[in-house]
Amino acid sequence: ELGYNVVLSEMTNEKIVKLSQEYSLDETCYPIKLVNGHVASLIEQKVDYIFLPSLYTMKHEVSKMREDYACVYMQTIPKIVSKVMGLEEKGIKLLSPALSFNFGKKYMMKTLLKMGLSLHKNPIKVVQSLKKGMKALQEFEKGVEKLGKDLIEKLSKDEKVFVIITRTYGVVDKGLNMEIPKILKKMGYKVITLSHLPAHSMDISNEYPNMYWPFGQHILSGAKIVRNSENLYAIYLTNHGCGPDGIISHYFKEEMGDKPYLQIEVDEHSSSVGVVTRLEAFVESVKRYSHKEPKEKSKLENKELKKL
């Protein structure tokens, strides 16, 4: 909308993994290491700007949590990347607005407007572009949920569907999802993601009042939906070195109860052959599983499950 050519970094490949290992100075989680590789790849393409915001807080519309923080690496990754890559010395301008959804729409608009003005763009044009961008995002998210709803409504009683549950970037990048959706589809199964479920519409603050990671809120909401659905089975992807995962995975296990699910920890040493073997074993366990309704469901869960 502002008239720029936009270059997206490639899907994670061997080259990007190698670059991430070369430029990652600290032992962080795998996705943060990969950011270094993706930025290095963009630098090789001689871009003029790199857009990499600091994400401080995120907010689900129905969330009543006391806090909604992103992890410390998501907050600080622009500073880390800028220093490691020497962007200023290379003549590349880093665009890293501090985004905090908890501060409200007015703050977000003001912050992004300031970034637009730093690019010497007309403020009215910047505001119009922001509104179009937010509208496009909302329509996309609603469309993805509708795809999931339509698919689930058409399932036969005994049909199995696998749900990839992880953070958003872990779903869309083939380096982080290990191409599991592609493998399962080749095996003849339908695959959806956490974004296809109405997990954003669930408020779990009564059960998890201190779950101040919004991704954790979303993941645990998805676990509840999968646990209570006869057709859905979870494949939960975590990342080596992720502090929140170390905690959330225990809650996830409790939420799933006796229903089988597959948890795979993804890092730069993950083997595609090993993933196929684990998926085959998991599919066999799912075939033998007899779904049992939980003895008790909260009013919230019953309300949300009716949407499916």
Side-chain angles (χ1 to χ4, degrees), residues 65-106:
M65 297 290 178
R66 292 186 299 173
E67 302 291 351
D68 297 276
Y69 287 113
C71 82
V72 292
Y73 286 121
M74 294 181 75
Q75 295 178 30
T76 59
I77 186 60
K79 293 180 180 178
I80 295 171
V81 164
S82 182
K83 188 172 182 179
V84 170
M85 299 295 175
L87 296 182
E88 191 173 337
E89 293 85 347
K90 291 181 173 69
I92 298 173
K93 185 172 181 178
L94 177 66
L95 303 175
S96 59
L99 303 183
S100 183
F101 288 81
N102 272 14
F103 288 178
K105 185 177 179 181
K106 186 176 180 180

Side-chain angles (χ1 to χ4, degrees), residues 206-223:
N206 287 332
E207 295 162 88
Y208 300 97
N210 293 315
M211 181 52 66
Y212 55 80
W213 295 299
F215 282 133
Q217 299 168 25
H218 197 199
I219 286 168
L220 293 175
S221 297

Side-chain angles (χ1 to χ4, degrees), residues 49 59 89 96 101 109 182 187 206 227 240 270:
Y49 303 89
K59 185 74 174 176
E89 293 85 347
S96 59
F101 288 81
M109 292 291 284
K182 184 178 179 181
M187 293 169 68
N206 287 332
R227 171 66 185 94
H240 178 70
S270 298

